[in-house]
Amino acid sequence: MNTNKTFIKISVISLFALLFSFQYSIAHWSTKGPYGGHVSAYTVIDSFLYLGSPTGGVYTSTNTQFTNWSYRNYTGLTSGNITGLSHIGYKLIAATGDSGIYISNDKGVTWAISNNMLTNRSLTSVVSSNGNIFAGSDGGGVFMSGDSGTTWMAMNTNLTNLHITCLAASGDTIFAGTAGGGVFISLNGGGAWVGLTTNLTDLNITAIAYSSGNLFAGTASGVFQATVSTLVWSAVNTGLANTHINALMVAGDSVYAATNMGVSYSQLTSVSWMAAGSLMDTIHALGSYGTKIFAGSANNGTWKATTGVYSWSAYNTGFNNLESYAICALDSTVAVSNEQGVFVCNNYILSAVYVKHNTGLDDSLHVNALGITANHTLYAGTANNGVYVSTDSGATWATANTGLNNMAVKKLLVTRNKIYLATVDGKVYSTLQSSISWSLTGSGLPANLDITAMANAGDTVFVGSANGVYVSIGGASWTGTGLNQDVTSLAYVGGSIFAGTAGAGVFKASLSNPTWVSVAALPSQNITALGASTGNGSTDVSYLLAAYYGGGEASCNEGQTWHPFNVYLYNPNYSRVSAFATITPRVYALNPHHGPLSNAKTEYPVVMPDTPSVIISSPASICEGSTVSFSVSNDAEASMYTWMLPNGWTGSSTSGTINATVNNTGGYVMVTASNGCGMSAMQMDSFAVNPMPMVMTMISTTSICNNASPLSLTGGMPSGGTYSGNGVTNSTFDPASAGVGTTYVYYTYTSPAGCTGADSTAITVNNCTGIDNIAGSLVSVYPNPFSNQLSIKTSAIENGTLTLMDVTGKVVQTVRVNTASGVTVINTSRLEKGIYMLNIIGNNQIAATRKVVKTE
C-alpha cells in the first residue's frame, strides 16, 4: 500500500494535542449517556478531580466547576480495574485489582506500568506520604516504593494479616486495615507494624481515615474511633442511619462516612453523626476539593454537594461506566440497555438526552437484546421474561410472548417484515411484525447451539455460533455454510456477509457464492463486534466496521484494507466494543463498561485509491486489429478499476489489467481506481494505431510438376519479407521436397512500425510422369501492379485462355491467348482498384495463376 496515501478527515489530531491536551479538545468518539456507573476512588491534582472505576479506568474533571468528565484511559493503561488513586505532585498513581501499579507523569494522558519487585499485583489501595508510595495488596501485605514507583519492596514485618483492604498515611505513620485482622500501625514508614485491636469488635476493616491524632476505622458494623495516644477503639455510631461503612474521609474539621444509604458526617472532636443531605444511594468512595464533597456510588456515578448545605446533584456528564448489554438505532432514535434498565433517546440530532424507560418492563435489568422496526416500535429481549414491545418509544412496555417456548432471549434481529430471536437453548423463532405470534423456524440447527450473532440480507437470515455460520431463506430450514470457526459477530455490507471470529479474524462470503475467504488482517484477530454503516450524511460511503479489544477499524472496500477510526482513544485496550449501531449522521459503538460511544460518520477514514500509475502497454507498438494488454500497478485500497477505451475498441475489465482489441484508429485509454470511499483521479494516455501492411506473395506459378526444377520465390510485396512453407528453403520452392498435392507458400512482412502481415498462395505439385508438361510453360505478367492494361506473355500454350477474377471469385474478364505474338493485352480501364487473380489455362488445364493488383 502507498504509505503516502491521503486520509481525508474532517479534523486532524496532532501528536502534541494527543499528549498534552485535555481530552475534550481532541474528542472524536465520546459518550452522550446514559451516564453513571461504579466509582471506587478519588484524588485531586492541581484543582482537577480524578475518578477511578473498578471496570472503566480513570476519568478526570474537565474544569474546576466540576461539570464534566473525560477519559484518562490513554496509552499504557491496560487495566480498568482501579482500586485506588493517589499522587505525588503531578505524578498520578493508580492501583489496580489485577495488574499492579500504573503511573502517569502527564495527568493520565499516558501511563506506564510500574511493578518492578511488586510480587503481588492484586492491589486494594494506594496512598502516598513523605514522597513514598504505599500499596496494599490482597494476600501480599503492604509494598513501599521510595523512588516514585521505580522499584518496590514488601514492608510486612510483624504484619500478621496480609489481606490489606485499605491504607491511610500521615508523615511516616502508616495505617493498614485488613480483612479479618483489624488495623495495624507503623510509626517508621512501614518498617515494622503493630496491631491495633483493643476493643475492636469487628476485625474486617473496610475503610480508614486519620487526622490530628484521631483514627477512624469503618466496618460492616459501623465506625470505630481511636486516638494515637491511647490506641484503644470505641464504637461511634450515634446517628448513623446505616452502619455498613464503605469509605471514610476527613475534610476540614469533619469526618465523612460513605454507607449503603448515603453519606453521614460528624465533627472530629465529638463524634455524633448526621445525614449529609437526603442522598439515599450506596456510596463506595469519597472525595473533596475546597467546599465541594464528592460521593461515588455503586452504579449511579458521582454526586456532588457543598459542605454545610449537602444538596446533592448528579455529576456524571461524560462518565459512563454502567454495564451495558444491547443497543439499537434508527433515524434519530437510539435505545440502550444496561444494569439500570432501558434508556431511550428519541431525538439524538437535537438533544442527546437518554430517558430511563422501564414501565411495564418487568425484567428491565436483564435486557440482552434490542430491536427497532421501521415504524419505531421497540422490542426488548430479556434473560428471564421473554420479549417486550413498546409502541410509544419506550415509555411503556408490554409482553409479546405468544408462541414463545423459552423466555431466555439472547439475540433479536429485525428484518423488513419479520422479527427473529434466538434463545439460550439454541432455537430461533420468528414472527411477522404485523402480528406477534412466535413460531420456530425450520430445522437444521444443531441442538443447544450457542448462538452469538444474527444478521440478514433481505429475507436471507444468518446466525453465528461457536460452530460457525448457518443460513436460512425466509425462516426455512437452516444449512451450515462451511465456516468452522468460533463466530462472534456478523454484518452484511455491499452484497457480502462478513463473520468476525474469536482468533481467526474476519471472513467474507458473497450471497451468490457462499465460499468463505479471509479478509485483510486487523491488529488483533480476536474480533468482538462487526457492524455496517451506509452513507455518512453527505456522501454514499459504506463501511464495514470491526472491533477488537482496545480498538476498532473501518473498511470502505469490504475488508480489503482497514484504517483506525479513533475508537481506540476512548475504548481502552483492556476493554472492547460489543455491538455497533447507526443513525443517519452517527455511528455508535457499544462498550460493555463505557456504554454507547458515538462519532460522526464524517470523521471516518475516507481513504480512496491513488491515481493509477502510468499505463503500461505491451507490445510497445499497437497494430490494427491486434489485441493489446494494458495494465496499471495495483493499489491496495482499490476494489475495482474502470477502463475507458477509444471508439471502436473492444474489451472490458474491473481489474488492473485489460485486454483490448483495437480497430484502425487510435485514441485515449483511460482508467480510474475506486473503492467504497470513492474514485481516484483519472489516468489517461494516448495511443496511435499502426496500419497492417498489405502483403502479397507474388508467386510466378501456382502449378508445377513434381520433377520440375526448384522455383525461385521473388517479387513478394512489400519487399524485405520472408517466404516459408512446406518445401520452402531460403526463398526457393522445391516441388520434389514438397511432394505431390496442394501446398501453401507464405510471405510474411513486418513494417517499420512493428506490424506483421502475411499472405499465402496455394501451389499444386502435379505428378507429371506420362502427361504433357503444360505447367512448365513460361508465363510473364506485366506491369504489376497495373493501371489501364495488363500484358501477359506466354509460350508453349495452345488453345490458351486468360481468366481474370476479383477477390470474391467472380470472373470479370476472359480473353483468348494471342499465340501469334505470344503477348496478350487485356484492357483493364473499367476495372475497380483492388486485387485480382489471373488464371492462364491451356489444354483445359490451369497452366499458371498470378495475383495482380490494380492501383488506379
Side-chain angles (χ1 to χ4, degrees):
M1 190 181 86
N2 186 347
T3 56
N4 295 320
K5 190 176 301 296
T6 300
F7 287 61
I8 304 173
K9 299 178 74 73
I10 296 300
S11 57
V12 178
I13 303 175
S14 70
L15 180 61
F16 181 87
L18 178 63
L19 293 178
F20 300 106
S21 297
F22 284 107
Q23 179 174 350
Y24 63 83
S25 68
I26 60 173
H28 291 288
W29 284 85
S30 60
T31 178
K32 300 294 190 297
Y35 298 123
H38 192 165
V39 178
S40 56
Y42 294 107
T43 195
V44 174
I45 300 178
D46 193 24
S47 77
F48 286 90
L49 181 67
Y50 289 81
L51 170 158
S53 167
T55 55
V58 179
Y59 291 72
T60 185
S61 59
T62 58
N63 50 54
T64 56
Q65 285 73 45
F66 306 109
T67 57
N68 295 279
W69 295 98
S70 65
Y71 292 99
R72 292 286 92 177
N73 303 321
Y74 293 127
T75 304
L77 186 60
T78 59
S79 171
N81 183 5
I82 308 300
T83 56
L85 290 175
S86 188
H87 69 96
I88 297 177
Y90 291 109
K91 186 186 296 292
L92 180 60
I93 306 159
T96 68
D98 53 14
S99 302
I101 290 287
Y102 291 83
I103 293 180
S104 173
N105 292 310
D106 49 19
K107 299 181 179 180
V109 175
T110 59
W111 295 85
I113 198 164
S114 179
N115 289 335
N116 187 22
M117 300 176 67
L118 186 65
T119 56
N120 187 308
R121 299 177 184 180
S122 179
L123 302 183
T124 60
S125 51
V126 64
V127 296
S128 61
S129 182
N130 279 357
N132 297 319
I133 307 172
F134 297 88
S137 70
D138 184 12
V142 176
F143 294 85
M144 188 271 287
S145 175
D147 52 13
S148 298
T150 302
T151 58
W152 294 88
M153 67 177 67
M155 305 293 285
N156 295 329
T157 300
N158 298 329
L159 187 63
T160 58
N161 188 306
L162 301 182
H163 295 279
I164 309 301
T165 58
C166 49
L167 293 171
S170 176
D172 287 331
T173 302
I174 314 299
F175 303 93
T178 67
V183 177
F184 290 80
I185 182 173
S186 173
L187 300 177
N188 57 357
W193 296 91
V194 176
L196 298 180
T197 59
T198 302
N199 294 340
L200 186 62
T201 59
D202 190 339
L203 300 182
N204 290 297
I205 309 302
T206 57
I208 291 180
Y210 175 79
S211 177
S212 303
N214 290 297
L215 179 63
F216 298 90
T219 71
S221 306
V223 179
F224 293 84
Q225 181 185 20
T227 63
V228 174
S229 60
T230 64
L231 300 179
V232 175
W233 294 101
S234 61
V236 285
N237 293 324
T238 301
L240 273 179
N242 184 279
T243 58
H244 196 292
I245 308 302
N246 299 311
L248 292 169
M249 176 184 71
V250 173
D253 58 359
S254 298
V255 58
Y256 293 84
T259 76
N260 284 354
M261 292 180 61
V263 179
S264 294
Y265 74 101
S266 170
Q267 293 295 312
L268 284 171
T269 55
S270 178
V271 178
S272 179
W273 298 97
M274 294 176 288
S278 58
L279 181 63
M280 299 296 291
D281 199 356
T282 299
I283 306 302
H284 281 183
L286 293 169
S288 69
Y289 176 74
T291 61
K292 295 293 183 182
I293 300 295
F294 304 95
S297 73
N299 58 17
N300 290 316
T302 292
W303 301 93
K304 65 178 179 179
T306 302
T307 57
V309 179
Y310 303 119
S311 178
W312 297 94
S313 60
Y315 168 31
N316 288 324
T317 301
F319 172 61
N320 184 355
N321 186 225
L322 294 167
E323 185 176 356
S324 299
Y325 310 128
I327 190 170
C328 68
L330 180 69
D331 299 328
S332 61
T333 297
V334 182
V336 61
S337 64
N338 57 38
E339 62 184 278
Q340 295 188 13
V342 174
F343 291 76
V344 180
C345 176
N346 285 316
N347 196 335
Y348 192 92
I349 308 303
L350 298 179
S351 178
V353 176
Y354 289 86
V355 178
K356 186 189 295 187
H357 281 311
N358 293 332
T359 301
L361 188 57
D362 298 328
D363 198 20
S364 62
L365 303 185
H366 305 97
V367 176
N368 292 329
L370 290 169
I372 185 169
T373 64
N375 64 359
H376 285 216
T377 299
L378 285 169
Y379 292 85
T382 68
N384 304 296
N385 290 354
V387 179
Y388 292 79
V389 62
S390 174
T391 58
D392 53 11
S393 297
T396 59
W397 296 86
T399 57
N401 292 330
T402 301
L404 191 61
N405 298 325
N406 190 315
M407 298 296 120
V409 178
K410 288 191 68 176
K411 297 291 179 181
L412 275 176
L413 173 68
V414 175
T415 68
R416 184 171 42 205
N417 300 311
K418 290 185 175 183
I419 304 169
Y420 292 82
L421 68 80
T423 56
V424 294
D425 59 353
K427 301 291 195 305
V428 176
Y429 293 79
S430 67
T431 180
L432 291 173
Q433 294 181 20
S434 57
S435 177
I436 302 300
S437 179
W438 299 100
S439 60
L440 278 171
T441 60
S443 61
L445 289 176
N448 298 312
L449 186 67
D450 181 14
I451 295 176
T452 56
M454 302 182 78
N456 74 292
D459 293 326
T460 302
V461 179
F462 299 87
V463 296
S465 72
N467 299 328
V469 178
Y470 296 82
V471 62
S472 171
I473 308 297
S477 60
W478 296 88
T479 57
T481 62
L483 183 63
N484 298 318
Q485 295 287 343
D486 185 357
V487 175
T488 61
S489 47
L490 295 169
Y492 177 74
V493 181
S496 297
I497 186 72
F498 294 84
T501 68
V506 180
F507 290 82
K508 170 185 176 181
S510 67
L511 296 186
S512 58
N513 180 22
T515 300
W516 294 97
V517 295
S518 179
V519 304
L522 286 149
S524 170
Q525 295 293 73
N526 289 299
I527 308 303
T528 62
L530 289 178
S533 171
T534 57
N536 64 7
S538 59
T539 66
D540 220 0
V541 176
S542 294
Y543 291 98
L544 172 65
L545 314 174
Y548 44 87
Y549 274 91
E553 305 201 2
S555 173
C556 53
N557 54 15
E558 299 187 11
Q560 187 171 311
T561 55
W562 298 92
H563 298 285
F565 51 84
N566 284 351
V567 68
Y568 61 87
L569 289 178
Y570 311 104
N571 183 61
N573 53 10
Y574 55 79
S575 190
R576 62 188 174 90
V577 168
S578 59
F580 288 101
T582 64
I583 58 176
T584 299
R586 301 193 74 79
V587 173
Y588 296 86
L590 185 66
N591 184 302
H593 301 303
H594 291 286
L597 308 175
S598 72
N599 72 348
K601 294 181 183 179
T602 52
E603 294 180 320
Y604 270 53
V606 181
V607 186
M608 294 182 294
D610 289 329
T611 303
S613 62
V614 176
I615 297 172
I616 302 168
S617 169
S618 179
S621 176
I622 300 177
C623 299
E624 175 186 356
S626 62
T627 298
V628 182
S629 177
F630 296 92
S631 63
V632 293
S633 298
N634 283 322
D635 190 311
E637 301 293 343
S639 297
M640 64 174 293
Y641 291 83
T642 301
W643 294 87
M644 288 157 282
L645 300 173
N647 188 35
W649 292 26
T650 59
S652 63
S653 174
T654 57
S655 72
T657 299
I658 186 171
N659 294 320
T661 301
V662 306
N663 62 358
N664 58 358
T665 58
Y668 283 95
V669 175
M670 295 169 282
V671 61
T672 57
S674 61
N675 60 19
C677 280
M679 181 178 292
S680 73
M682 181 180 292
Q683 176 64 258
M684 58 190 299
D685 207 346
S686 177
F687 294 92
V689 174
N690 298 301
M692 295 297 292
M694 182 180 293
V695 179
M696 292 182 294
T697 54
M698 304 303 289
I699 304 297
S700 60
T701 183
T702 58
S703 182
I704 191 169
C705 287
N706 61 337
N707 56 6
S709 298
L711 178 66
S712 178
L713 303 175
T714 60
M717 298 181 62
S719 61
T722 59
Y723 288 94
S724 62
N726 188 24
V728 177
T729 304
N730 296 328
S731 299
T732 299
F733 175 73
D734 184 358
S737 176
V740 174
T742 300
T743 189
Y744 285 87
V745 172
Y746 300 92
Y747 184 71
T748 303
Y749 172 80
T750 299
S751 70
C755 298
T756 299
D759 185 35
S760 63
T761 298
I763 296 181
T764 301
V765 178
N766 300 299
N767 186 354
C768 295
T769 305
I771 64 172
D772 295 333
N773 187 12
I774 191 171
S777 304
L778 299 176
V779 178
S780 176
V781 180
Y782 56 92
N784 191 12
F786 62 91
S787 178
N788 292 323
Q789 69 177 30
L790 183 64
S791 299
I792 302 94
K793 182 177 181 180
T794 61
S795 63
I797 295 180
E798 297 180 1
N799 300 318
T801 303
L802 303 176
T803 301
L804 201 59
M805 297 181 296
D806 62 17
V807 292
T808 67
K810 178 183 177 181
V811 176
V812 297
Q813 204 164 348
T814 302
V815 298
R816 298 285 298 176
V817 172
N818 186 340
T819 57
S821 64
V823 177
T824 305
V825 178
I826 302 176
N827 186 345
T828 59
S829 60
R830 295 183 179 181
L831 297 180
E832 299 290 337
K833 292 191 299 182
I835 299 173
Y836 295 86
M837 298 301 296
L838 176 65
N839 290 332
I840 300 96
I841 303 171
N843 297 331
N844 296 319
Q845 288 184 339
I846 296 178
T849 299
R850 297 288 187 273
K851 184 183 291 186
V852 293
V853 179
K854 180 172 181 180
T855 57
E856 296 181 2

